[in-house]
Amino acid sequence: MKIDMNLLPLFLAVAEEANFRAAADRLGVTRSAVSQGIRRLEDVFGTMLVTRTTRSVHLTEAGERLREALSQPMSDIATALDRVAGEDEPRGLLRIAVTSIAEQFLSGPLLASFADAHPHVTIDVTVTDEEFDIVAAGFDAGVRLGEVIEQDMIAVPLTGDQRESAVAAPAYLAAHGAPKHPRELVHHRCIGWRPAPNVAPHRWEFEENGIPFDVAVEPQITTNDLRLMLRSALSGVGITFALEETFRPYVETGRLVPLLQDFLLPFPGFFLYFPHRRNMAPKLRALVEHVRRWR
């Protein structure tokens, strides 16, 4: 079986993007070239690797097997090429999946200082709250809260402990009063968060006398956009709930009022995480060292 090795990265791009046009944009080629390349691979294997519709692309069982077989070797090859090309100088594309609530990472200064220090590294940040295998999806690293990172990952602290906070605008509190206990939230207008359209809104977590509990509020507004939650709270729509640092500038100026503080305790913060690799690519090693110095 003779395979054009140039077609394998093309197949992986299609598998990871689940979209021919997105794969073409990522590789800098035409959609037609991607389609023809997949067809040539399928002719070599004698079986379909992907099923195509006008709206989506899905891997067949054979396609899934091929992706699993290629993912780690391609990662090792990319690492080796980085080392050969740069002789340990960080360079190349660094793909990072970051949760939308990692404000300290996404606010700019950390990434800006890293980019200044490493001009040959191109940084691609995907902001997503979906939980998935970053290795299988082709990412070099991710940023999440420590409690949701898989045990087989290496995790480097990015922040100190975090704490969630419930807040509302003074205008809302003047009209509706402030809850004295978290269970009273069910009687208030709330602004909730969910990670994806088909997922239930996040339950608001509290602690009383050392015993954790949560409250399933019924939000009048639910979104996966932290900025919309913040703007809605500032406009007096209702009470919202997110990380304390998100609200800090507005609390300090009096535009938002913190609520139920005695029921909210710290928990482990954000970590940069990545898979264990025997020979870490210089670009990833540089990011890890930068985060450690920043921390």
Side-chain angles (χ1 to χ4, degrees):
M1 180 184 296
K2 188 174 182 180
I3 298 177
D4 182 349
M5 300 300 287
N6 293 319
L7 298 179
L8 298 181
L10 183 149
F11 168 78
L12 277 179
V14 171
E16 291 164 3
E17 299 291 347
N19 183 283
F20 276 26
R21 186 173 300 281
D25 291 344
R26 172 171 153 184
L27 297 172
V29 299
T30 65
R31 185 182 183 283
S32 176
V34 172
S35 180
Q36 292 173 16
I38 294 298
R39 190 173 296 114
R40 286 168 58 193
L41 263 184
E42 290 177 332
D43 289 343
V44 170
F45 285 108
T47 186
M48 288 183 62
L49 299 174
V50 300
T51 56
R52 314 161 179 82
T53 69
T54 56
R55 294 186 176 183
S56 63
V57 173
H58 298 282
L59 296 184
T60 63
E61 186 176 354
E64 288 286 1
R65 289 199 299 271
L66 180 59
R67 180 174 69 168
E68 291 176 5
L70 291 177
S71 293
Q72 190 57 46
M74 284 297 180
S75 175
D76 291 343
I77 290 170
T79 298
L81 291 177
D82 280 344
R83 294 181 67 86
V84 171
E87 295 183 352
D88 286 343
E89 179 185 2
R91 64 174 62 241
L93 177 63
L94 186 63
R95 299 186 68 217
I96 312 168
V98 183
T99 179
S100 66
I101 58 175
E103 178 66 23
Q104 191 166 119
F105 187 88
L106 296 174
S107 60
L110 188 155
L111 278 180
S113 58
F114 177 77
D116 285 342
H118 303 287
H120 298 299
V121 177
T122 302
I123 308 160
D124 186 318
V125 177
T126 296
V127 180
T128 174
D129 293 305
E130 294 184 29
E131 294 186 16
F132 58 89
D133 183 345
I134 60 170
V135 177
F139 289 93
D140 297 286
V143 174
R144 286 195 175 278
L145 289 171
E147 60 191 21
V148 296
I149 296 175
E150 295 86 349
Q151 293 297 313
D152 60 348
M153 291 286 171
I154 298 174
V156 176
L158 180 64
T159 70
D161 286 351
Q162 298 288 301
R163 191 171 82 140
E164 290 188 296
S165 182
V167 297
Y172 175 84
L173 298 176
H176 302 278
K180 302 300 183 185
H181 190 279
R183 300 201 188 282
E184 295 177 18
L185 287 167
V186 296
H187 304 300
H188 282 265
R189 289 158 56 186
C190 295
I191 306 158
W193 178 86
R194 54 167 170 72
N198 298 321
V199 178
H202 176 63
R203 296 172 73 96
W204 296 9
E205 299 177 343
F206 301 92
E207 186 169 317
E208 184 175 23
N209 299 323
I211 301 174
F213 67 98
D214 57 53
V215 177
V217 300
E218 296 184 3
Q220 184 173 11
I221 297 176
T222 304
T223 179
N224 66 336
D225 187 344
L226 191 61
R227 292 167 299 180
L228 178 57
M229 293 168 59
L230 177 59
R231 289 194 295 267
S232 299
L234 288 168
S235 66
V237 171
I239 301 171
T240 196
F241 190 81
L243 291 178
E244 191 173 49
E245 68 178 24
T246 303
F247 304 130
R248 184 171 290 116
Y250 306 95
V251 169
E252 291 174 350
T253 59
R255 297 183 65 192
L256 291 174
V257 178
L259 308 169
L260 306 169
Q261 296 296 286
D262 291 341
F263 300 91
L264 295 159
L265 298 178
F267 54 85
F270 291 96
F271 290 76
L272 174 75
Y273 71 101
F274 49 92
H276 175 74
R277 289 175 179 164
R278 186 172 59 246
N279 295 312
M280 187 186 298
K283 60 186 178 183
L284 179 55
R285 186 185 308 114
L287 178 63
V288 172
E289 292 172 355
H290 186 79
V291 165
R292 284 177 171 147
R293 288 194 297 270
W294 180 275
R295 175 74 173 88

